[in-house]
Amino acid sequence: MTLNNGNLSKGFDRTIKKNNINEKINKDLYKDLFIEALEGIVFWSANGKIVQVNEAACRIFESSKDELLTKNLKDFVYPKNSNFMRIVNQLLERGSIRDELDFLMPNGQIKSLEFTAKLNSVDGYHMTIFRNVTDRHQMEKELRESELKFRKVFEEALEGMILWNEKYEVVDINQVGMSILHLPGKSLIGQSIIQIIEDFNVNKEELYHHSENVRKNGYANGVLQINVTSDRKIYIEFSAKHNVFSKLSLISFKDITEKLEMEEQLKKSDTLSVVGELAAGIAHEIRNPMTALKGFIQLLEDSIQEDHSMYFNIISSELKRIDSIINEFLILAKPQAVKFIRKNIIEIMKETVEFLNAQAVLHNVQIQTYFEKELPLIFCEPNQMKKVFINLIKNAIEVMPKGGIITVLMESASDQSIHISIRDEGAGIPSDKIKKLGQPFFTTKEKGTGLGLMVTYKIIEEHKGSIVVESELGVGSVFHIYLPC
Ligand code: ADP
Ligand code: MG
């Protein structure tokens, strides 16, 4: 029968079969999709009563299928939610809606669910598809918090920090960084980090060396000297790391100028006090035999034969030199009759310049002075101050064998102190030697003692003042003294 029927109405039968298959496929497909979907699918009737749910919906609503089928969607809406009525109204108005709402699960858990709702989607039933976004929200919250945390660390750090991308463009710089680099209010974002560093007049070779390290090894650290303004150099200690996070690189740095200066000062005063103690012991011991030697050599002067007079001259000039070394030592050794008084320091300088003028003229050197009127009096030991000025002006004369101008300036400085500067037009002092100034026996002169500046530093230190040396090769040097009023 079937066969016959089949034979008779072959064509018709085929179409019916094909339709059936399509229908079946569609049915199966929807069924599969419904069952397997990761999103929770809920069908509900007009008043919100749940009529069909899938597995995922059971998981989301923390209930069994049977339980769910006895419930109403409204049962799950978090009571404190004011959005619910608005959403219902919109759904009725438009027929469909996509939104997000907090739901209360039977176990007391509150879940944030994203959903799409559609009226009359199948057989007159309404459908809502739910997705749990609690985790996503939690993750977003954590991400925001962690970003905030890092931003805080970045901004509140004690060190300056700059972030840059693979095109070497600055992505961010913190406040500390801006103030270390003396760049208030300037925006560096988007500028080339290399250009910025180069603009600070950094030693090109060192910079190249460090950037090669970053490129090859992924990191570099060290100390760089930078010119933050035309007249201010600072030392920064830095550490740079390539690709710290998603193609961003980081450099962190701090200003260690003061620290270095303090270390230098400490080293100097350490040696000074040791030398001072030694000097106390030795100088006196040498002085006595020296006096005898000087006396007897003078006695011998007349009886020296012509051909030995050269030796005699050498002996007496060397004796003089020993004498001057001992004298300088003795200043260190004994804070002898130190009598601090209030004194017009310009007078001391005038006397000194007068005293040294003869020597200056001999070397074709002119001493020009600029004194501010009515400088406050300084509490000082006048003889020692004179010693300081003599040492500095003598050095200035000695550094200009072909003559030149020494400029002496005395003025009041901003912070209740007096500024004295002695400028020469000599050869200048290489930067590595500037550190050595004031160290005992550091001299570059054939007949130098290397004690003059040591004494000078010591005296200024005792007066609670400071010395700053500025020098440019081939141009000259300036010794700045700052004394508190
Ligand atoms: P001395 O004059 O006996 O060498 P100082 O302590 O006075 O000893 O000076 C130490 C060294 O500092 C000098 O030998 C010189 O190299 C350097 N120096 C001091 N003053 C100057 C200056 N005005 N210009 C260049 N170099 C200087
Ligand atoms: Mg000297």
Side-chain angles (χ1 to χ4, degrees):
M1 273 273 280
T2 355
L3 254 178
N4 273 348
N5 268 349
N7 282 337
L8 282 171
S9 49
K10 240 179 196 164
F12 179 71
D13 209 54
R14 246 189 221 138
T15 37
I16 287 185
K17 263 188 189 158
K18 208 171 164 192
N19 280 344
N20 279 343
I21 284 168
N22 276 347
E23 214 170 89
K24 191 171 160 31
I25 287 175
N26 276 345
K27 246 189 180 164
D28 286 348
L29 185 67
Y30 281 123
K31 207 169 132 196
D32 280 352
L33 278 179
F34 179 72
I35 293 171
E36 304 287 335
L38 289 173
E39 273 104 0
I41 302 175
V42 176
F43 286 98
W44 43 284
S45 61
N47 52 7
K49 191 181 156 12
I50 296 172
V51 295
Q52 185 59 281
V53 295
N54 68 353
E55 277 295 315
C58 296
R59 277 197 302 275
I60 288 175
F61 288 98
E62 312 275 346
S63 314
S64 68
K65 186 171 179 180
D66 292 341
E67 276 166 348
L68 278 183
L69 293 181
T70 66
K71 301 238 170 166
N72 191 299
L73 267 183
K74 285 182 229 163
D75 298 340
F76 291 96
V77 175
Y78 185 53
K80 287 181 194 155
N81 227 306
S82 56
N83 277 339
F84 180 61
M85 279 324 288
R86 174 185 59 83
I87 288 170
V88 171
N89 286 336
Q90 270 185 16
L91 176 62
L92 292 176
E93 214 170 274
R94 299 181 196 162
S96 70
I97 193 167
R98 188 189 178 101
D99 215 317
E100 213 181 289
L101 208 59
D102 284 346
F103 288 84
L104 182 62
M105 302 306 140
N107 62 6
Q109 203 185 343
I110 297 163
K111 284 186 184 174
S112 208
L113 302 181
E114 188 183 73
F115 60 86
T116 320
K118 197 166 188 306
L119 294 182
N120 301 318
S121 67
V122 176
D123 289 345
Y125 289 119
H126 317 302
M127 178 179 75
T128 307
I129 301 176
F130 291 97
R131 186 186 302 145
N132 189 355
V133 287
T134 317
D135 286 350
R136 200 182 77 206
H137 281 184
Q138 186 61 26
M139 242 160 66
E140 279 170 2
K141 194 171 148 230
E142 276 167 17
L143 213 71
R144 267 197 307 275
E145 276 174 3
S146 114
E147 203 190 307
L148 213 70
K149 200 160 65 194
F150 282 107
R151 176 124 296 275
K152 255 203 137 37
V153 171
F154 187 73
E155 277 308 334
E156 309 277 309
L158 291 174
E159 301 191 353
M161 292 192 201
I162 303 179
L163 278 171
W164 75 87
N165 61 20
E166 76 260 51
K167 283 188 273 171
Y168 292 93
E169 292 163 345
V170 173
V171 173
D172 212 341
I173 172 167
N174 65 358
Q175 278 304 323
V176 185
M178 299 287 276
S179 70
I180 291 179
L181 299 178
H182 285 59
L183 298 165
K186 264 192 205 165
S187 172
L188 298 184
I189 314 288
Q191 290 191 32
S192 147
I193 176 113
I194 299 195
Q195 189 59 48
I196 293 172
I197 299 178
E198 271 180 5
D199 285 349
F200 283 116
N201 244 330
V202 176
N203 182 311
K204 287 255 162 59
E205 265 170 48
E206 279 178 44
L207 185 60
Y208 178 76
H209 167 76
H210 292 312
S211 52
E212 275 299 281
N213 265 345
V214 172
R215 218 169 48 82
K216 279 196 201 137
N217 311 329
Y219 70 92
N221 40 38
V223 174
L224 277 177
Q225 194 191 38
I226 66 172
N227 285 33
V228 279
T229 58
S230 58
D231 56 356
R232 187 164 156 68
K233 285 191 183 109
I234 64 167
Y235 288 92
I236 58 165
E237 187 175 53
F238 73 93
S239 135
K241 208 154 192 297
H242 186 57
N243 218 343
V244 271
F245 173 70
S246 71
K247 303 217 166 126
L248 291 181
S249 304
L250 174 74
I251 180 167
S252 65
F253 52 96
K254 59 183 169 197
D255 184 349
I256 55 161
T257 318
E258 252 175 52
K259 192 180 131 209
L260 289 185
E261 275 168 5
M262 220 147 78
E263 279 174 7
E264 208 52 52
Q265 212 73 52
L266 268 178
K267 252 191 259 161
K268 255 182 208 163
S269 54
D270 257 8
T271 11
L272 280 184
S273 62
V274 173
V275 171
E277 278 166 31
L278 274 178
I282 298 170
H284 279 288
E285 295 305 319
I286 300 180
R287 217 172 199 195
N288 296 335
M290 274 289 296
T291 321
L293 277 180
K294 274 195 293 188
F296 286 120
I297 213 110
Q298 255 154 26
L299 281 180
L300 278 179
E301 189 168 7
D302 297 334
S303 50
I304 290 277
Q305 286 163 15
E306 190 66 21
D307 48 344
H308 286 140
S309 70
M310 195 180 78
Y311 302 131
F312 179 83
N313 287 341
I314 292 178
I315 291 174
S316 43
S317 83
E318 291 298 298
L319 276 178
K320 255 192 216 142
R321 201 170 138 215
I322 297 176
D323 208 32
S324 74
I325 292 180
I326 290 173
N327 276 339
E328 284 187 289
F329 255 132
L330 274 176
I331 287 190
L332 287 177
K334 258 213 247 166
Q336 51 205 327
V338 239
K339 234 176 91 200
F340 276 70
I341 51 167
R342 274 190 196 288
K343 175 105 181 145
N344 181 350
I345 200 153
I346 291 184
E347 252 162 52
I348 306 178
M349 182 62 94
K350 274 186 183 158
E351 283 169 24
T352 314
V353 171
E354 234 164 75
F355 170 65
L356 286 174
N357 234 340
Q359 203 190 340
V361 170
L362 208 67
H363 290 87
N364 205 13
V365 169
Q366 248 190 60
I367 305 178
Q368 293 181 350
T369 55
Y370 298 91
F371 300 143
E372 188 179 297
K373 275 186 200 134
E374 285 164 22
L375 268 191
L377 300 183
I378 291 276
F379 194 59
C380 65
E381 153 61 45
N383 282 324
Q384 291 200 328
M385 266 308 140
K386 196 180 262 179
K387 185 88 196 164
V388 166
F389 298 155
I390 291 177
N391 279 338
L392 294 181
I393 297 178
K394 247 172 71 187
N395 279 348
I397 296 174
E398 284 163 2
V399 87
M400 299 189 290
K402 294 200 184 98
I405 293 171
I406 296 173
T407 315
V408 177
L409 174 85
M410 294 179 107
E411 60 181 4
S412 47
S414 51
D415 49 349
Q416 285 281 311
S417 63
I418 282 188
H419 171 218
I420 303 163
S421 72
I422 294 162
R423 177 190 300 269
D424 65 57
E425 300 175 337
I429 311 163
S431 58
D432 58 318
K433 297 271 162 55
I434 286 191
K435 279 183 233 134
K436 297 200 167 156
L437 298 179
Q439 279 181 12
F441 308 115
F442 167 69
T443 178
T444 53
K445 298 168 192 166
E446 203 187 335
K447 289 202 168 164
T449 61
L451 291 173
L453 282 184
M454 178 181 68
V455 170
T456 303
Y457 276 85
K458 171 103 178 157
I459 294 173
I460 295 300
E461 193 183 302
E462 276 164 6
H463 283 77
K464 309 251 177 307
S466 60
I467 298 187
V468 177
V469 184
E470 209 186 319
S471 187
E472 196 175 331
L473 292 180
V475 176
S477 314
V478 194
F479 282 73
H480 300 276
I481 301 173
Y482 296 91
L483 286 174
C485 296

